Coordinates of all heavy atoms in Angstrom, one line a residue:
A1397 N 92.1 99.1 102.7 CA 92.2 100.5 102.2 C 92.1 101.5 103.3 O 91.4 101.2 104.3 CB 91.2 100.7 101.1
G1398 N 92.7 102.7 103.1 CA 92.5 103.7 104.2 C 93.3 104.9 103.9 O 93.8 105.1 102.8
F1399 N 93.3 105.8 104.8 CA 93.9 107.1 104.7 C 95.2 107.2 105.6 O 95.1 106.7 106.8 CB 93.0 108.2 105.2 CG 91.8 108.4 104.3 CD1 90.6 107.7 104.6 CD2 91.8 109.1 103.2 CE1 89.5 107.8 103.8 CE2 90.6 109.2 102.4 CZ 89.5 108.6 102.7
V1400 N 96.3 107.7 105.1 CA 97.5 107.9 105.9 C 97.3 108.9 106.9 O 96.7 110.0 106.7 CB 98.7 108.2 104.9 CG1 99.9 108.6 105.7 CG2 98.9 107.1 104.0
H1401 N 97.8 108.7 108.1 CA 97.9 109.6 109.2 C 99.3 109.7 109.8 O 99.8 108.6 110.2 CB 96.9 109.3 110.3 CG 96.8 110.3 111.4 ND1 96.7 109.9 112.7 CD2 96.7 111.6 111.4 CE1 96.6 111.0 113.5 NE2 96.6 112.0 112.7
V1402 N 99.9 110.9 109.8 CA 101.3 111.0 110.2 C 101.4 112.1 111.3 O 100.8 113.1 111.2 CB 102.2 111.4 109.1 CG1 103.6 111.5 109.5 CG2 102.1 110.4 107.9
K1403 N 102.1 111.7 112.4 CA 102.4 112.7 113.4 C 103.9 112.8 113.5 O 104.6 111.8 113.5 CB 101.9 112.3 114.8 CG 100.4 112.2 114.9 CD 100.0 111.8 116.3 CE 98.5 111.7 116.5 NZ 98.1 111.2 117.8
A1404 N 104.4 114.1 113.6 CA 105.8 114.3 113.7 C 106.2 115.3 114.8 O 105.4 116.2 115.0 CB 106.4 114.8 112.3
K1405 N 107.3 115.0 115.4 CA 107.8 116.0 116.4 C 109.3 116.1 116.1 O 110.1 115.1 116.3 CB 107.6 115.4 117.8 CG 108.0 116.4 118.9 CD 107.9 115.8 120.3 CE 106.5 115.8 120.8 NZ 106.4 115.4 122.2
T1406 N 109.8 117.3 115.7 CA 111.2 117.5 115.4 C 111.6 118.9 115.7 O 110.8 119.8 115.8 CB 111.4 117.2 113.8 OG1 112.7 117.5 113.5 CG2 110.5 118.1 113.0
Q1407 N 112.9 119.0 116.0 CA 113.5 120.3 116.3 C 113.7 121.2 115.1 O 113.7 122.4 115.2 CB 114.8 120.2 117.1 CG 114.6 119.5 118.4 CD 113.7 120.2 119.4 OE1 113.9 121.4 119.5 NE2 112.8 119.5 120.0
D1408 N 113.9 120.6 114.0 CA 114.2 121.2 112.7 C 113.3 120.6 111.7 O 112.3 120.0 112.0 CB 115.7 121.0 112.3 CG 116.2 122.0 111.3 OD1 115.4 122.7 110.7 OD2 117.4 122.1 111.1
Q1409 N 113.6 120.8 110.4 CA 112.8 120.3 109.4 C 113.0 118.8 109.2 O 114.1 118.3 109.3 CB 113.1 121.0 108.1 CG 112.1 120.9 107.0 CD 112.4 121.7 105.8 OE1 113.3 121.5 105.1 NE2 111.6 122.8 105.6
M1410 N 111.9 118.0 108.9 CA 112.0 116.6 108.6 C 111.2 116.3 107.3 O 110.1 116.8 107.2 CB 111.3 115.8 109.8 CG 111.3 114.3 109.6 SD 110.2 113.4 110.7 CE 110.7 113.9 112.3
S1411 N 111.8 115.7 106.4 CA 111.2 115.3 105.1 C 110.8 113.9 105.2 O 111.6 113.0 105.6 CB 112.2 115.5 104.0 OG 112.7 116.8 103.9
V1412 N 109.5 113.6 104.8 CA 109.0 112.2 104.9 C 108.4 111.9 103.5 O 107.6 112.7 102.9 CB 107.9 112.1 106.0 CG1 107.3 110.7 106.0 CG2 108.4 112.5 107.3
T1413 N 108.7 110.8 103.0 CA 108.2 110.3 101.7 C 107.5 109.0 102.0 O 108.1 108.1 102.6 CB 109.2 110.1 100.7 OG1 110.0 111.3 100.5 CG2 108.6 109.7 99.3
L1414 N 106.2 108.8 101.6 CA 105.4 107.6 101.8 C 104.9 107.0 100.5 O 104.5 107.7 99.6 CB 104.1 108.0 102.6 CG 104.3 108.6 104.0 CD1 103.0 109.2 104.5 CD2 104.7 107.5 104.9
W1415 N 105.1 105.7 100.4 CA 104.5 105.0 99.3 C 103.5 104.0 99.9 O 103.9 103.1 100.7 CB 105.6 104.2 98.6 CG 106.6 105.0 97.9 CD1 106.6 105.3 96.5 CD2 107.8 105.5 98.4 NE1 107.8 106.0 96.2 CE2 108.5 106.2 97.4 CE3 108.4 105.5 99.7 CZ2 109.7 106.8 97.5 CZ3 109.6 106.2 99.9 CH2 110.3 106.8 98.8
C1416 N 102.3 104.1 99.5 CA 101.2 103.1 99.9 C 100.8 102.4 98.7 O 100.4 103.0 97.7 CB 100.0 103.8 100.5 SG 100.4 104.8 102.0
R1417 N 100.9 101.0 98.7 CA 100.6 100.3 97.5 C 100.3 98.8 97.8 O 100.6 98.3 98.9 CB 101.8 100.4 96.5 CG 103.0 99.7 97.1 CD 104.2 99.9 96.1 NE 105.4 99.2 96.6 CZ 105.8 98.0 96.1 NH1 105.1 97.5 95.1 NH2 106.8 97.4 96.6
E1418 N 99.8 98.2 96.8 CA 99.7 96.7 96.8 C 101.1 96.2 96.4 O 101.9 97.0 95.9 CB 98.6 96.2 95.9 CG 97.2 96.5 96.5 CD 96.9 95.9 97.8 OE1 97.4 94.9 98.2 OE2 96.1 96.6 98.6
Q1419 N 101.3 94.9 96.5 CA 102.6 94.4 96.3 C 103.3 94.7 95.0 O 104.4 95.0 94.9 CB 102.6 92.8 96.5 CG 102.1 92.4 97.8 CD 103.0 92.8 99.0 OE1 104.2 93.0 98.8 NE2 102.5 92.8 100.2
E1420 N 102.5 94.7 93.9 CA 103.1 94.9 92.6 C 102.8 96.2 91.9 O 103.1 96.4 90.8 CB 102.6 93.7 91.6 CG 103.0 92.3 92.2 CD 104.5 92.1 92.4 OE1 105.3 92.6 91.5 OE2 104.8 91.5 93.3
E1421 N 102.2 97.1 92.6 CA 101.8 98.4 92.1 C 103.0 99.4 92.0 O 103.9 99.3 92.9 CB 100.7 99.1 93.0 CG 99.3 98.8 92.6 CD 98.4 99.6 93.5 OE1 98.5 99.6 94.7 OE2 97.5 100.2 92.9
T1422 N 103.0 100.3 91.1 CA 103.9 101.4 91.0 C 103.0 102.6 91.3 O 102.0 102.9 90.7 CB 104.5 101.5 89.6 OG1 105.2 100.3 89.3 CG2 105.5 102.7 89.6
V1423 N 103.4 103.4 92.3 CA 102.6 104.5 92.8 C 103.5 105.8 92.9 O 104.7 105.7 93.1 CB 101.9 104.3 94.1 CG1 100.9 103.1 94.0 CG2 102.9 104.0 95.2
K1424 N 102.8 106.9 92.8 CA 103.5 108.2 93.1 C 103.5 108.4 94.6 O 102.5 108.3 95.3 CB 102.8 109.3 92.4 CG 103.4 110.7 92.6 CD 102.7 111.7 91.8 CE 103.4 113.1 92.1 NZ 102.7 114.2 91.5
P1425 N 104.7 108.7 95.2 CA 104.7 108.9 96.7 C 104.1 110.2 97.1 O 103.9 111.1 96.4 CB 106.2 108.9 96.9 CG 106.8 109.4 95.7 CD 106.0 108.9 94.6
E1426 N 103.7 110.2 98.4 CA 103.3 111.4 99.1 C 104.5 112.0 99.7 O 105.2 111.3 100.5 CB 102.2 111.2 100.1 CG 100.9 110.8 99.5 CD 99.8 110.7 100.5 OE1 99.5 111.8 101.2 OE2 99.2 109.7 100.7
E1427 N 104.9 113.3 99.4 CA 106.0 113.9 100.0 C 105.6 115.0 101.0 O 104.9 115.9 100.6 CB 106.9 114.5 98.9 CG 107.4 113.4 98.0 CD 108.3 113.8 96.9 OE1 108.9 114.9 97.1 OE2 108.4 113.1 95.9
L1428 N 106.1 114.8 102.2 CA 105.6 115.7 103.3 C 106.9 116.4 104.0 O 107.9 115.8 104.0 CB 104.9 114.9 104.4 CG 103.8 114.0 103.9 CD1 103.4 113.1 105.0 CD2 102.7 114.7 103.3
I1429 N 106.7 117.6 104.5 CA 107.7 118.3 105.2 C 107.1 118.8 106.5 O 106.1 119.4 106.5 CB 108.3 119.5 104.4 CG1 109.0 119.0 103.1 CG2 109.3 120.3 105.3 CD1 109.5 120.1 102.2
F1430 N 107.8 118.4 107.6 CA 107.3 118.8 109.0 C 108.4 119.7 109.6 O 109.5 119.5 109.4 CB 107.1 117.5 109.8 CG 106.0 116.6 109.4 CD1 106.3 115.5 108.6 CD2 104.7 116.9 109.7 CE1 105.3 114.7 108.2 CE2 103.7 116.1 109.2 CZ 104.0 114.9 108.5
A1431 N 107.9 120.6 110.5 CA 108.8 121.4 111.3 C 108.1 121.6 112.6 O 106.9 122.1 112.7 CB 109.0 122.7 110.6
G1432 N 108.7 121.2 113.7 CA 108.1 121.3 115.0 C 107.2 120.1 115.3 O 107.5 119.0 114.9
E1433 N 106.1 120.3 115.9 CA 105.1 119.2 116.2 C 103.9 119.4 115.3 O 103.1 120.4 115.5 CB 104.7 119.3 117.7 CG 103.9 118.1 118.1 CD 103.8 118.0 119.6 OE1 104.5 118.7 120.3 OE2 102.9 117.2 120.1
Q1434 N 103.7 118.5 114.3 CA 102.6 118.6 113.4 C 102.0 117.3 113.0 O 102.6 116.2 113.3 CB 103.1 119.3 112.1 CG 103.6 120.7 112.2 CD 104.1 121.2 110.9 OE1 105.0 120.6 110.2 NE2 103.7 122.4 110.5
E1435 N 100.8 117.3 112.4 CA 100.1 116.2 112.0 C 99.6 116.3 110.5 O 99.4 117.4 110.1 CB 98.8 115.9 112.8 CG 99.1 115.4 114.2 CD 97.8 115.0 114.9 OE1 96.9 114.3 114.3 OE2 97.6 115.4 116.0
Y1436 N 99.5 115.2 109.9 CA 99.0 115.2 108.5 C 98.0 114.0 108.3 O 98.3 112.9 108.8 CB 100.1 115.0 107.5 CG 99.7 114.7 106.1 CD1 99.2 115.7 105.2 CD2 99.8 113.4 105.6 CE1 98.8 115.4 103.9 CE2 99.4 113.1 104.3 CZ 98.9 114.1 103.5 OH 98.5 113.8 102.2
R1437 N 96.9 114.3 107.8 CA 95.9 113.2 107.4 C 95.8 113.3 105.9 O 95.4 114.3 105.3 CB 94.6 113.4 108.1 CG 93.6 112.3 107.8 CD 92.1 112.7 108.0 NE 91.2 111.7 107.8 CZ 90.7 111.5 106.6 NH1 91.1 112.1 105.5 NH2 89.8 110.5 106.4
G1438 N 96.0 112.1 105.2 CA 96.0 112.1 103.8 C 94.6 112.4 103.2 O 93.6 112.1 103.8
F1439 N 94.6 112.9 102.0 CA 93.4 113.2 101.3 C 93.0 112.0 100.4 O 91.8 112.0 100.0 CB 93.6 114.4 100.4 CG 93.8 115.7 101.2 CD1 95.1 116.2 101.3 CD2 92.7 116.3 101.8 CE1 95.3 117.4 102.0 CE2 93.0 117.5 102.5 CZ 94.2 118.0 102.7
Y1440 N 93.9 111.1 100.1 CA 93.6 110.1 99.2 C 93.5 108.7 99.9 O 94.2 108.4 100.8 CB 94.8 109.9 98.2 CG 95.0 111.2 97.4 CD1 96.1 112.0 97.7 CD2 94.2 111.6 96.4 CE1 96.4 113.2 97.0 CE2 94.4 112.8 95.7 CZ 95.5 113.6 96.0 OH 95.7 114.7 95.4
M1441 N 92.5 108.0 99.5 CA 92.3 106.6 100.0 C 93.3 105.7 99.3 O 93.3 105.7 98.1 CB 90.9 106.1 99.9 CG 90.7 104.8 100.6 SD 89.0 104.0 100.3 CE 87.9 105.4 100.2
H1442 N 94.1 105.0 100.1 CA 95.1 104.1 99.5 C 94.7 102.6 99.7 O 94.2 102.2 100.7 CB 96.4 104.3 100.1 CG 97.0 105.6 99.9 ND1 97.6 106.0 98.7 CD2 97.1 106.7 100.6 CE1 98.0 107.2 98.7 NE2 97.8 107.7 99.9
S1443 N 95.0 101.8 98.7 CA 95.0 100.4 98.9 C 96.4 100.1 99.4 O 97.4 100.4 98.7 CB 94.7 99.7 97.5 OG 94.8 98.3 97.6
A1444 N 96.5 99.5 100.5 CA 97.8 99.4 101.2 C 98.2 98.0 101.6 O 98.0 97.6 102.7 CB 97.9 100.4 102.4
G1445 N 98.7 97.3 100.6 CA 99.3 96.0 101.0 C 100.6 96.2 101.7 O 101.0 95.3 102.5
N1446 N 101.3 97.3 101.5 CA 102.4 97.7 102.3 C 102.6 99.2 102.2 O 102.1 99.8 101.3 CB 103.7 96.9 101.8 CG 104.1 97.3 100.4 OD1 104.4 98.4 100.1 ND2 104.2 96.3 99.5
I1447 N 103.3 99.7 103.2 CA 103.6 101.1 103.3 C 105.1 101.2 103.4 O 105.7 100.6 104.3 CB 102.9 101.8 104.5 CG1 101.4 101.7 104.3 CG2 103.4 103.2 104.6 CD1 100.7 102.3 105.5
R1448 N 105.8 102.0 102.6 CA 107.2 102.3 102.6 C 107.4 103.7 103.1 O 106.7 104.6 102.6 CB 107.8 102.0 101.3 CG 109.3 102.3 101.3 CD 109.9 102.0 99.9 NE 111.2 102.6 99.8 CZ 111.8 103.0 98.7 NH1 111.1 102.9 97.6 NH2 112.9 103.6 98.7
V1449 N 108.3 103.9 104.0 CA 108.5 105.3 104.6 C 110.0 105.6 104.5 O 110.8 104.8 104.9 CB 108.0 105.4 106.1 CG1 108.3 106.8 106.6 CG2 106.6 104.9 106.2
S1450 N 110.3 106.8 103.9 CA 111.6 107.3 103.9 C 111.7 108.6 104.7 O 110.8 109.5 104.4 CB 112.1 107.5 102.4 OG 113.4 108.1 102.4
V1451 N 112.6 108.8 105.6 CA 112.7 110.0 106.4 C 114.1 110.6 106.4 O 115.1 109.9 106.5 CB 112.3 109.6 107.9 CG1 112.3 110.8 108.8 CG2 110.9 109.0 107.9
K1452 N 114.1 111.9 106.3 CA 115.3 112.6 106.5 C 115.1 113.7 107.6 O 114.3 114.6 107.5 CB 115.8 113.4 105.2 CG 117.1 114.1 105.4 CD 117.5 114.8 104.1 CE 118.8 115.5 104.4 NZ 119.2 116.3 103.2
N1453 N 115.8 113.5 108.7 CA 115.8 114.4 109.9 C 116.9 115.4 109.7 O 118.1 115.0 109.8 CB 115.9 113.6 111.2 CG 115.9 114.5 112.4 OD1 115.5 115.6 112.3 ND2 116.2 113.9 113.5
N1454 N 116.6 116.7 109.6 CA 117.7 117.7 109.4 C 118.2 118.3 110.7 O 118.8 119.3 110.6 CB 117.1 118.8 108.4 CG 116.9 118.3 107.0 OD1 117.6 117.5 106.5 ND2 115.8 118.7 106.4
S1455 N 117.8 117.7 111.8 CA 118.3 118.2 113.1 C 119.3 117.3 113.7 O 119.4 116.1 113.4 CB 117.0 118.3 114.0 OG 117.4 118.6 115.3
D1456 N 120.1 117.8 114.6 CA 121.0 117.0 115.4 C 120.3 116.3 116.5 O 120.9 115.4 117.2 CB 122.2 117.9 115.9 CG 123.1 118.4 114.8 OD1 123.1 117.7 113.7 OD2 123.8 119.4 115.0
Q1457 N 119.1 116.8 116.8 CA 118.3 116.2 117.9 C 117.4 115.1 117.4 O 117.1 115.0 116.3 CB 117.4 117.3 118.5 CG 118.1 118.6 119.0 CD 119.0 118.2 120.2 OE1 118.6 117.5 121.1 NE2 120.2 118.7 120.2
A1458 N 117.1 114.2 118.4 CA 116.2 113.1 118.0 C 114.8 113.6 117.6 O 114.4 114.7 118.0 CB 116.0 112.2 119.3
A1459 N 114.2 112.9 116.6 CA 112.9 113.3 116.1 C 112.0 112.1 116.3 O 112.4 110.9 116.5 CB 113.0 113.6 114.6
E1460 N 110.7 112.3 116.3 CA 109.7 111.3 116.5 C 108.7 111.3 115.3 O 108.3 112.4 114.9 CB 109.0 111.5 117.8 CG 108.4 110.3 118.5 CD 107.9 110.7 119.8 OE1 108.6 110.9 120.8 OE2 106.6 110.7 119.9
L1461 N 108.4 110.1 114.8 CA 107.4 110.0 113.7 C 106.5 108.8 114.0 O 107.0 107.7 114.3 CB 108.2 109.8 112.4 CG 107.3 109.8 111.1 CD1 106.8 111.2 110.8 CD2 108.1 109.2 110.0
T1462 N 105.2 109.1 113.9 CA 104.2 108.0 114.0 C 103.4 108.0 112.7 O 102.9 109.0 112.2 CB 103.2 108.3 115.1 OG1 104.0 108.4 116.3 CG2 102.2 107.1 115.3
V1463 N 103.4 106.8 112.0 CA 102.7 106.6 110.8 C 101.6 105.6 111.0 O 101.9 104.5 111.5 CB 103.6 106.1 109.6 CG1 102.8 105.9 108.4 CG2 104.8 107.1 109.4
S1464 N 100.4 105.9 110.7 CA 99.3 105.0 110.8 C 98.4 105.0 109.6 O 98.5 105.9 108.8 CB 98.5 105.3 112.1 OG 98.0 106.6 112.1
L1465 N 97.5 104.1 109.5 CA 96.5 104.0 108.4 C 95.2 104.0 109.0 O 94.8 103.1 109.9 CB 96.8 102.7 107.6 CG 95.9 102.5 106.4 CD1 96.3 103.6 105.3 CD2 96.1 101.2 105.8
I1466 N 94.3 104.9 108.7 CA 93.0 105.0 109.1 C 92.2 104.1 108.2 O 91.9 104.4 107.0 CB 92.4 106.4 109.1 CG1 93.3 107.3 110.0 CG2 90.9 106.4 109.6 CD1 92.9 108.8 109.9
K1467 N 91.7 102.9 108.7 CA 91.0 102.0 107.8 C 89.6 102.5 107.4 O 89.0 103.2 108.2 CB 90.9 100.6 108.5 CG 92.1 99.9 108.8 CD 91.8 98.6 109.5 CE 93.0 97.9 110.1 NZ 92.6 96.7 110.8
T1468 N 89.2 102.1 106.3 CA 87.9 102.5 105.8 C 86.9 101.4 105.6 O 85.8 101.5 105.1 CB 88.0 103.2 104.4 OG1 88.7 102.3 103.5 CG2 88.8 104.5 104.6
H1469 N 87.3 100.2 106.1 CA 86.3 99.1 106.1 C 86.0 98.7 107.6 O 86.6 99.3 108.5 CB 86.9 97.9 105.3 CG 88.2 97.4 105.9 ND1 88.3 96.6 106.9 CD2 89.5 97.7 105.5 CE1 89.6 96.3 107.2 NE2 90.3 97.0 106.3
Y1470 N 85.1 97.8 107.8 CA 84.7 97.4 109.1 C 85.9 96.8 109.9 O 86.6 96.0 109.4 CB 83.6 96.4 109.1 CG 83.1 96.1 110.4 CD1 82.2 96.9 111.1 CD2 83.5 94.9 111.1 CE1 81.7 96.7 112.3 CE2 83.0 94.6 112.4 CZ 82.1 95.5 113.0 OH 81.7 95.2 114.2
P1471 N 86.2 97.2 111.1 CA 85.6 98.3 111.9 C 86.1 99.7 111.3 O 87.3 99.8 111.0 CB 86.1 98.1 113.3 CG 87.3 97.3 113.2 CD 87.2 96.5 111.9
V1472 N 85.2 100.6 111.2 CA 85.5 101.9 110.5 C 86.5 102.8 111.4 O 86.3 102.9 112.6 CB 84.2 102.6 110.3 CG1 84.5 104.0 109.6 CG2 83.3 101.8 109.4
F1473 N 87.4 103.4 110.7 CA 88.4 104.3 111.2 C 89.2 103.9 112.4 O 89.5 104.6 113.3 CB 87.6 105.7 111.6 CG 87.1 106.3 110.3 CD1 85.7 106.4 110.2 CD2 87.9 106.8 109.4 CE1 85.2 107.0 109.0 CE2 87.4 107.4 108.2 CZ 86.1 107.5 108.0
Q1474 N 89.5 102.6 112.4 CA 90.5 102.1 113.4 C 91.9 102.3 112.9 O 92.2 102.0 111.8 CB 90.2 100.6 113.7 CG 91.0 100.0 114.8 CD 90.7 98.5 115.0 OE1 90.4 97.8 114.0 NE2 90.8 98.1 116.2
E1475 N 92.8 102.8 113.7 CA 94.1 103.0 113.3 C 95.1 101.9 113.6 O 94.9 101.3 114.7 CB 94.7 104.3 113.9 CG 94.0 105.6 113.4 CD 94.7 106.8 113.9 OE1 95.9 106.7 114.4 OE2 94.2 107.9 113.8
Q1476 N 96.0 101.6 112.7 CA 97.1 100.7 113.0 C 98.4 101.6 113.1 O 98.6 102.4 112.2 CB 97.3 99.7 112.0 CG 96.1 98.7 111.9 CD 96.3 97.7 110.8 OE1 97.1 97.8 109.9 NE2 95.5 96.6 111.0
L1477 N 99.1 101.5 114.2 CA 100.2 102.4 114.4 C 101.6 101.8 114.1 O 101.8 100.6 114.4 CB 100.2 102.9 115.9 CG 99.0 103.7 116.3 CD1 99.1 104.1 117.8 CD2 98.8 105.0 115.5
L1478 N 102.5 102.6 113.6 CA 103.9 102.2 113.4 C 104.7 103.4 114.0 O 104.6 104.5 113.5 CB 104.2 102.1 111.9 CG 105.6 101.9 111.5 CD1 106.2 100.6 112.1 CD2 105.8 102.0 110.0
L1479 N 105.4 103.1 115.1 CA 106.2 104.2 115.8 C 107.6 104.1 115.4 O 108.2 103.0 115.5 CB 106.0 104.1 117.3 CG 106.7 105.1 118.1 CD1 106.2 106.5 117.8 CD2 106.6 104.8 119.6
L1480 N 108.2 105.2 114.9 CA 109.5 105.2 114.5 C 110.3 106.4 115.2 O 109.7 107.4 115.3 CB 109.6 105.5 113.0 CG 108.9 104.6 112.0 CD1 108.9 105.1 110.6 CD2 109.5 103.2 112.1
N1481 N 111.4 106.1 115.8 CA 112.2 107.1 116.4 C 113.5 107.2 115.7 O 114.2 106.2 115.3 CB 112.5 106.7 117.9 CG 111.3 106.8 118.7 OD1 110.6 107.8 118.7 ND2 111.0 105.7 119.4
F1482 N 114.0 108.5 115.4 CA 115.2 108.7 114.7 C 116.2 109.5 115.6 O 115.8 110.5 116.2 CB 114.9 109.5 113.4 CG 114.0 108.7 112.5 CD1 112.6 108.9 112.6 CD2 114.5 107.8 111.6 CE1 111.8 108.2 111.8 CE2 113.6 107.1 110.8 CZ 112.3 107.3 110.9
Y1483 N 117.4 109.1 115.6 CA 118.4 109.8 116.4 C 119.6 110.2 115.5 O 119.8 109.7 114.5 CB 119.0 108.8 117.4 CG 117.9 108.4 118.4 CD1 117.2 107.2 118.1 CD2 117.6 109.1 119.5 CE1 116.2 106.8 119.0 CE2 116.6 108.7 120.4 CZ 115.9 107.6 120.1 OH 114.9 107.2 121.0

């Protein structure tokens, strides 16, 4: 379980949708919009057997997105990173 942490760097607007769930759960996604260089730390603790990410980059320029999960069990607040680049 943990909290979602997202970093984005984009020239225009980027829409990000995240689903954090266990294998068989149906969950409501978190929908985020970034412009420029921004960060988001989720307010909800998720049980995360898997994380699905959908991204729409509205720029002709490359965008950068880092999605991580801040764990809430031992060791506390260690991040696991997933780096995604969009062209």
